[in-house]
Amino acid sequence: MNRKNKGLSIFAFLVYFFLLAPLLIIVATSFGPDKALIFPPKGFSLKWMANIFKIEMFRKSFVISMQLSVIGTIIALIIGIPAAYALSRYNFKGKNILNSIFLSPVLIPGIVLGFSLLRYLVIYSKLPIYTSLLIGHVIIIIPYIIRVISSSLSNFDYSIEEASMSLGANKIKTFFVIVLPNIRSGVIAAFILAFINSFNNVPVSLFLTGPGLSTLPIQMLIHVEYNFDPTIAALSVVLMAMTGLLMFIVEKTLGLSFFAK
């Protein structure tokens, strides 16, 4: 190994260490027996893991977050897939404006978007908190859906679609039988990306949650504000493990080659 490659390897190691070190510290402190975050831990204990399931608001907010993320992602897919198809397939007047509207939630700061949704959904429209939260989550994840699916459609050969219609299939049947199966990897990738962003969202959820209805990230912030024990570290480890398990299941059932299609 020459000096240049050795220097590059050391630099890459330092970058990975910088990125992973905080996560390793959180994992280590989550198993500590002390009542505060202490690194290195002075022993080993699972009591903070057990404490997660003893806190009712964590259990309740986890269920709410899962519901919002799954339902919101499905609704966003229903809206985003046709939108991405139209933006990729056709050229029409106002296409750039429509594309900018769909992608604007990513460009607007989360705090500004959250306050705007609070003003118009909760205060002005007087919608229920859960409905407002669901609408807010759909709005923030639609750009991810459209971006990922548009990327998949950019590699799609539309002559196949035209051949299907020339053989007698209508546009709707052609879309579900020909187009959708060919972009299924993009749809699954969009679902995973949107789900994770919805589940972990803080700025919008912070403004739209209310008494008795809170998402898990917001409940974690509230817990940290009044408690200094490693419960949040333990919960973070559980969430990281769940994310890793989800990716492992996807890789084993679908395979990385599936997403490369």
Side-chain angles (χ1 to χ4, degrees):
M1 180 181 294
N2 57 42
R3 183 177 299 177
K4 182 178 179 181
N5 291 336
K6 185 177 180 180
L8 185 61
S9 298
I10 294 174
F11 177 76
F13 172 79
L14 291 175
V15 170
Y16 279 112
F17 179 79
F18 177 79
L19 294 174
L20 295 177
L23 298 180
L24 296 177
I25 293 174
I26 292 295
V27 172
T29 54
S30 68
F31 293 103
D34 302 287
K35 294 183 179 181
L37 289 171
I38 297 177
F39 183 83
K42 298 179 181 179
F44 180 85
S45 175
L46 295 174
K47 67 177 182 178
W48 302 115
M49 291 289 178
N51 193 47
I52 297 172
F53 303 97
K54 295 178 181 178
I55 301 176
E56 182 182 358
M57 284 307 299
F58 281 163
R59 301 196 303 267
K60 185 177 179 181
S61 59
F62 175 79
V63 173
I64 293 173
S65 290
M66 288 295 292
Q67 289 177 347
L68 285 171
S69 300
V70 173
I71 298 173
T73 302
I74 292 174
I75 294 174
L77 283 172
I78 294 173
I79 299 173
I81 292 175
Y85 175 78
L87 292 171
S88 300
R89 181 72 173 90
Y90 304 108
N91 290 317
F92 51 88
K93 187 177 181 180
K95 176 180 176 179
N96 292 332
I97 296 176
L98 187 60
N99 189 45
S100 299
I101 292 174
F102 275 120
L103 299 179
S104 60
V106 176
L107 304 177
I108 301 173
I111 294 178
V112 175
L113 181 60
F115 178 77
S116 300
L117 292 173
L118 171 67
R119 175 68 178 81
Y120 289 102
L121 294 179
V122 179
I123 299 176
Y124 181 77
S125 301
K126 299 186 184 302
L127 293 177
I129 295 176
Y130 188 89
T131 303
S132 301
L133 261 175
L134 182 59
I135 294 174
H137 278 238
V138 171
I139 290 174
I140 61 176
I141 61 179
I142 277 182
Y144 300 101
I145 299 286
I146 292 179
R147 279 293 187 185
V148 174
I149 294 179
S150 294
S151 178
S152 295
L153 286 169
S154 64
N155 298 319
F156 178 71
D157 186 1
Y158 287 104
S159 62
I160 303 175
E161 179 187 35
E162 296 171 357
S164 174
M165 289 189 289
S166 68
L167 294 174
N170 56 40
K171 289 185 177 181
I172 296 177
K173 184 177 181 180
T174 298
F175 179 80
F176 284 100
V177 176
I178 302 298
V179 179
L180 203 55
N182 278 279
I183 62 170
R184 64 189 184 275
S185 59
V187 174
I188 295 173
F191 181 91
I192 294 174
L193 181 61
F195 175 85
I196 292 174
N197 277 276
S198 176
F199 190 91
N200 293 323
N201 178 265
V202 172
V204 172
S205 299
L206 185 63
F207 282 94
L208 298 179
T209 52
L213 185 62
S214 177
T215 60
L216 185 58
I218 302 303
Q219 196 59 43
M220 292 171 69
L221 289 176
I222 295 173
H223 185 87
V224 169
E225 187 176 355
Y226 298 102
N227 300 274
F228 303 96
D229 57 55
T231 301
I232 295 301
L235 181 54
S236 301
V237 172
V238 171
L239 293 176
M240 285 190 288
M242 289 178 58
T243 303
L245 179 62
L246 174 63
M247 299 307 298
F248 176 79
I249 293 173
V250 169
E251 197 280 329
K252 287 298 181 181
T253 55
L254 301 177
L256 295 176
S257 59
F258 179 88
F259 289 95
K261 291 181 180 181

